[in-house]
Amino acid sequence: MTTAPARTAIIAGNWKMHYGPRMASSFALEITPALGKLLNEYPYLLCILCPPAISLSAVREVLDALLFERIELGAQNMHFEEKGAFTGEISPLMVRELCTTVILGHSERRTYFGESDELVNRKAQAALNHGLRPIVCVGERLEEHEAGKTEAVIRSQVQKSLANFRSERACDVVIAYEPVWAIGTGKACPGEDAQRTIHLIRELYADMYGGETANAVRILYGGSVTSANIAEYVAQADIDGALVGGASLKSDFVEIVRKSIEILRPS
């Protein structure tokens, strides 16, 4: 007899600024049949595809046509207001029409667009208030990592970016630990190091919302994840999957899901 894991794992693909509607539709059609077959065989893993905003409708059409329940759609960003004079932004109400999930506070948003912990928190609050699952990203820069400041940086980001959620909604958040020095560099964080930091995040969340909530919240690793290294992350006790960047743009994403299932499948 098998038992379900305590937390349903997530493998999310962040396509970043790649694939307009035509290419996004074509790529979704290429990978979703294989993903759907894998996920039908193992119901304890959720896959989320996160294309650019302009391609969300195209990928939504593919997913609706194929009816794969465990492949969901996510946005890469959103505004915290429901509507208004915010040229170029998309609101929670708009995202909710197509998506279940939204990535917030990715290091590229923080670095290139000046997003603060307070702004990320405001967006996460709005996501929860509109029935969206926020994936809130935290992570230290290279100079902070080399200076031994990882714990201090993570502590500050968690306490500010993830603050003041209603207790009944705090477990609906997903957290992604993405060390900035590992994103797109090919220098992935070793699995044991990622586990240590993610365990810290879970402890900090317990201080904020209680042990039961912290035990239920899902925490992902992101940063140069590939099919060659995914096993060392999902095998860790506190790591509940991955937020995948570059490898999510290739068929390797299917292999990442397959190898995750191999590790996670109950014996």
Side-chain angles (χ1 to χ4, degrees):
M1 180 177 179
T2 61
T3 57
R7 297 182 296 266
T8 299
I10 293 175
I11 301 293
N14 177 12
W15 296 3
K16 304 190 180 184
M17 199 172 70
H18 298 279
Y19 298 163
R22 291 192 186 91
M23 289 188 67
S25 178
S26 176
F27 182 61
L29 281 167
E30 177 186 336
I31 64 171
T32 49
L35 289 173
K37 183 178 179 181
L38 287 168
L39 297 170
N40 282 340
E41 295 173 356
Y42 181 79
Y44 308 124
L45 187 145
L46 177 65
C47 184
I48 306 172
L49 305 180
C50 303
I54 197 170
S55 301
L56 287 170
S57 292
V59 178
R60 177 78 273 159
E61 289 180 5
V62 172
L63 298 182
D64 286 347
L66 295 177
L67 297 175
F68 292 130
E69 292 183 0
R70 304 200 66 75
I71 305 176
E72 297 186 6
L73 189 63
Q76 296 177 16
N77 185 36
M78 70 170 205
H79 200 282
F80 52 80
E81 295 284 5
E82 292 185 355
K83 60 183 177 181
F86 303 103
T87 300
E89 294 287 342
I90 55 175
S91 79
L93 294 177
M94 297 172 185
V95 173
R96 194 177 66 183
E97 288 189 31
L98 299 172
C99 303
T100 60
T101 302
V102 58
I103 300 171
L104 299 172
H106 191 281
S107 67
E108 291 158 4
R109 298 295 313 175
R110 294 174 183 262
T111 300
Y112 302 139
F113 303 99
E115 293 195 3
S116 65
D117 292 322
E118 291 75 16
L119 177 58
V120 173
N121 181 251
R122 196 169 180 184
K123 290 182 176 186
Q125 300 273 9
L128 290 173
N129 289 340
H130 289 87
L132 290 162
R133 177 196 299 119
I135 299 178
V136 179
C137 302
V138 298
E140 79 281 10
R141 300 190 302 272
L142 178 61
E143 60 269 26
E144 294 165 335
H145 176 72
E146 292 180 339
K149 296 180 179 178
T150 295
E151 181 174 337
V153 171
I154 295 302
R155 184 179 299 273
S156 177
Q157 289 182 344
V158 168
Q159 291 175 342
K160 295 176 182 177
S161 298
L162 300 164
N164 301 316
F165 298 141
R166 297 200 311 273
S167 57
E168 68 272 17
R169 300 304 306 274
C171 63
D172 296 331
V173 176
V174 175
I175 306 168
Y177 169 55
E178 292 206 308
V180 180
W181 50 271
I183 298 173
T185 64
K187 299 178 181 178
C189 181
E192 291 184 359
D193 292 350
Q195 160 63 23
R196 189 159 40 248
T197 302
I198 286 173
H199 183 70
L200 168 65
I201 292 171
R202 201 175 296 283
E203 288 184 329
L204 293 169
Y205 213 65
D207 291 340
M208 297 165 72
Y209 299 106
E212 185 175 348
T213 296
N215 205 40
V217 77
R218 288 170 289 185
I219 309 178
L220 316 180
Y221 169 76
S224 296
V225 175
T226 67
S227 61
N229 63 23
I230 184 63
E232 70 177 282
Y233 300 114
V234 295
Q236 304 293 334
D238 283 296
I239 301 180
D240 304 309
L243 179 56
V244 185
S248 72
L249 299 167
K250 303 175 288 187
S251 58
D252 193 44
F253 188 68
V254 177
E255 188 67 5
I256 289 172
V257 172
R258 187 184 71 78
K259 288 193 172 182
S260 297
I261 289 173
E262 287 181 358
I263 298 294
L264 294 168
R265 190 189 301 274
S267 56

